[in-house]
Amino acid sequence: MNLLSAQNLSHSFEYKLFSNVSLDLYEKESIAIMGMSGSGKSTLLHLLSTLL
């Protein structure tokens, strides 16, 4: 069962954080979002949770 699906997400402030990010998360699956400080990890999670 597909719990979360996101296609072609992009976000930028004064600079581009990320572009064309797609994600599918299925039941009983776990993932890790990894990257350097300031790379947009928290912003991506906020977009996925519809807070942004």
Side-chain angles (χ1 to χ4, degrees):
M1 171 187 248
N2 192 339
L3 297 177
L4 177 68
S5 181
Q7 304 299 316
N8 301 318
L9 293 177
S10 299
H11 196 77
S12 61
F13 293 106
E14 294 87 35
Y15 54 93
K16 186 180 289 189
L17 284 175
F18 50 83
S19 62
N20 298 322
V21 173
S22 296
L23 171 75
D24 288 306
L25 182 62
Y26 297 95
E27 186 176 343
K28 298 183 182 178
E29 181 178 56
S30 61
I31 61 169
I33 299 174
M34 299 170 51
M36 295 173 27
S37 177
S39 63
K41 301 176 301 289
S42 295
T43 302
L44 176 62
L45 292 173
H46 283 98
L47 285 170
L48 292 171
S49 68
T50 67
L51 292 175
L52 276 179

